[in-house]
Amino acid sequence: VNKSWFVSGLDKDSVLMQRSLNARWVPLATSFVGESAIFYNYTATSPGFSYFAVTAEPLLPVFPPVS
């Protein structure tokens, strides 16, 4: 996945590949396997051929402690 995709605040640790099956998105076990200067690399195993989507959750905001 191109690292530029994460500039908008997505969490690289929440990337999930999903497979289309019977008009629904089915999550696949997805693992981070490394990175290059431009890409984060992931792997997932699918039980069959289908359309696929790469999804990610947004980073949660971090608020400073209230004093």
Side-chain angles (χ1 to χ4, degrees), residues 21-33:
L21 180 65
N22 299 324
R24 294 181 51 192
W25 289 108
V26 178
L28 300 173
T30 305
S31 300
F32 176 80
V33 294

Side-chain angles (χ1 to χ4, degrees), residues 5-57:
W5 198 52
F6 297 91
V7 173
S8 62
L10 297 175
D11 183 1
K12 74 172 183 73
D13 296 320
S14 73
V15 167
L16 183 66
M17 303 229 7
Q18 298 191 51
R19 174 180 183 247
S20 178
L21 180 65
N22 299 324
R24 294 181 51 192
W25 289 108
V26 178
L28 300 173
T30 305
S31 300
F32 176 80
V33 294
E35 66 182 277
S36 68
I38 301 171
F39 295 103
Y40 290 122
N41 301 306
Y42 299 86
T43 185
T45 301
S46 176
F49 292 105
S50 182
Y51 289 104
F52 291 90
V54 178
T55 62
E57 296 292 325

